[in-house]
Amino acid sequence: MNQAGPSVAVDSASGGVAAIDVKTMNDEQQAAYVSSLYPGQSLAADDIRRIIQREEYNMQHKGHEGKHLAMFLIFLCVLAILPKTVRYWRQRHPRSYRLVSIGSICLIPPYFALANRYFRFVSIWIGYALANTYILYLATREPLYPRTPRRVYQWFALTNKVSYAVFVAGIVLFALCFFNVAPGLTDTERMVESSLITVFYGLYFGLMSRDLVTLCSDKMAATLGYASSNGLPTKHLPHTVCCICGDGLGYGSTGTDTGGGLLHADAAPKQSTGTAEPTHNLDCGHEFHATCIRGWCVVGKKDTCPFCCEKVDLTPFKQSPWDRQELFYVTSLEYMRFFISWQPLTLLLLAGIFWVLGLD
């Protein structure tokens, strides 16, 4: 018969129990070891198991205080340096920054959703990805059909409005749960979880739409030739043409500019609808469709003129309460970008640094 007592070593110098390998003990020895730690107490089997697990953890990390301090200091340094590095990257290399940002936003959440069997999110993501793949195909093909820019902007305006509506619905639902408006319904865990998931859907797909419309707008503007990524237009902008979508401005415009062969020659010209579409003049003197420039500044959150890159005054887009709420939603998307994209990448960077320095 095994005796539990001899396996428990007592440190006479400190008057306590010396550190031993609890993994090598049997059940009786573990019970005797815990009894020596808590003399005079009757502990259940679950309590003994938790104490043994805690002791195993303490033994595993004993003497690692220096490593933990080094890991904490590295973490603080990364947090201090990363924002400036990302800002410099975005300003100096916007294309690679945009590709990494969009790639991480599009791939990281589906990966974790698939790993955790969240098939509803995966199904919605696949449908949304297929629709946007077709839109990207239309926006990047050359020659470009004259009606393509308008259709692309209409699609992303629709997805932005739907995402915003879903976000607002999630906020309202969460507020109902927070104030428990309907006891027995709004105070349930399932309802709170549904409200948070709804907010996430509104922010995530709104963020995807915003980044994808930036890609499409830059590509179509470069194809049309009125604006380019380096700020140097490749041809003159007529006063009767909106350089964002390539359509004509004002009543009776047909929007048949072929863009020097960059637009599809076989496409039928747009006919006048008989009504003038509202336009908006920037301080630099360039005129655009009101819906186009609003999508450029609000949805795409760009503060420069699409043609001359002069700073745009965003005050006209903040006049109504709805506009201010929409701008608040766009600002919320930037915080969502951090949690979806840069937080996982930051943790991956820290894990790599810890592994290289042997601090894992």
Side-chain angles (χ1 to χ4, degrees):
M1 181 175 179
N2 294 331
Q3 298 295 329
S7 64
V8 182
V10 179
D11 188 354
S12 58
S14 60
V17 179
I20 59 177
D21 189 2
V22 294
K23 293 182 180 180
T24 61
M25 296 180 181
N26 55 32
D27 294 340
E28 293 181 358
Q29 292 172 336
Q30 289 180 354
Y33 175 66
V34 173
S35 297
S36 66
L37 294 177
Y38 299 92
Q41 299 186 20
S42 179
L43 300 175
D46 292 340
D47 296 331
I48 294 176
R49 188 184 69 254
R50 283 194 292 268
I51 293 174
I52 292 297
Q53 290 176 351
R54 186 189 64 189
E55 291 298 317
E56 291 179 354
Y57 178 83
N58 291 336
M59 289 181 59
Q60 182 181 0
H61 293 274
K62 184 179 180 180
H64 290 182
E65 291 79 5
K67 286 187 176 181
H68 295 165
L69 178 60
M71 295 171 70
F72 179 71
L73 294 177
I74 292 174
F75 175 73
L76 292 180
C77 292
V78 170
L79 289 184
I81 297 174
L82 190 61
K84 295 182 179 180
T85 304
V86 172
R87 192 179 303 112
Y88 176 84
W89 182 16
R90 181 174 56 188
Q91 294 174 353
R92 298 293 183 178
H93 306 281
R95 181 177 178 82
S96 61
Y97 168 83
R98 187 181 305 159
L99 291 177
V100 172
S101 178
I102 294 177
S104 58
I105 289 171
C106 293
L107 297 179
I108 290 179
Y111 169 77
F112 285 104
L114 191 61
N116 292 278
R117 299 176 179 269
Y118 296 147
F119 297 118
R120 178 177 55 187
F121 173 81
V122 174
S123 301
I124 298 174
W125 183 89
I126 290 176
Y128 185 80
L130 291 176
N132 281 283
T133 299
Y134 176 70
I135 295 297
L136 286 172
Y137 166 74
L138 294 179
T140 56
R141 67 181 301 187
E142 294 182 10
L144 190 69
Y145 278 91
R147 297 184 181 181
T148 294
R150 180 57 58 89
R151 290 176 178 174
V152 171
Y153 288 118
Q154 287 176 346
W155 163 255
F156 284 112
L158 174 64
T159 56
N160 181 72
K161 291 180 180 178
V162 172
S163 300
Y164 180 51
V166 171
F167 168 75
V168 173
I171 292 294
V172 172
L173 186 60
F174 181 79
L176 296 178
C177 296
F178 182 80
F179 294 104
N180 195 16
V181 176
L185 177 63
T186 56
D187 57 349
T188 60
E189 182 179 352
R190 183 179 181 86
M191 187 63 68
V192 175
E193 180 182 356
S194 299
S195 65
L196 295 177
I197 291 177
T198 304
V199 171
F200 171 78
Y201 281 178
L203 289 174
Y204 175 70
F205 289 105
L207 181 60
M208 281 188 63
S209 297
R210 178 188 167 188
D211 284 357
L212 291 175
V213 74
T214 302
L215 275 180
C216 292
S217 62
D218 290 346
K219 177 61 179 177
M220 290 187 301
T223 302
L224 291 172
Y226 295 118
S228 59
S229 58
N230 58 11
L232 298 175
T234 57
K235 66 178 183 178
H236 173 69
L237 174 66
H239 293 291
T240 57
V241 174
C242 172
C243 80
I244 298 178
C245 65
D247 283 346
L249 297 170
Y251 176 81
S253 60
T254 60
T256 57
D257 182 16
T258 61
L262 295 175
L263 294 180
H264 201 282
D266 297 333
K270 285 182 60 177
Q271 300 298 325
S272 172
T273 59
T275 57
E277 185 173 351
T279 61
H280 182 83
N281 284 288
L282 300 180
D283 294 338
C284 57
H286 296 121
E287 186 177 7
F288 309 91
H289 292 125
T291 54
C292 293
I293 193 61
R294 179 182 178 82
W296 178 273
C297 295
V298 177
V299 179
K301 204 178 180 181
K302 296 184 177 181
D303 58 353
T304 57
C305 172
F307 183 75
C308 66
C309 297
E310 183 175 330
K311 281 286 185 178
V312 173
D313 182 15
L314 298 179
T315 304
F317 303 105
K318 303 178 183 179
Q319 295 179 352
S320 67
W322 180 265
D323 293 336
R324 289 193 292 269
Q325 293 174 4
E326 188 171 356
L327 288 173
F328 167 76
Y329 169 68
V330 172
T331 304
S332 301
L333 297 182
E334 286 302 312
Y335 292 100
M336 191 66 176
R337 182 192 304 278
F338 169 76
F339 287 108
I340 291 180
S341 176
W342 297 117
Q343 185 184 34
L345 294 178
T346 302
L347 295 178
L348 184 61
L349 175 63
L350 286 172
I353 294 175
F354 294 156
W355 179 78
V356 171
L357 298 179
L359 300 175
D360 50 331

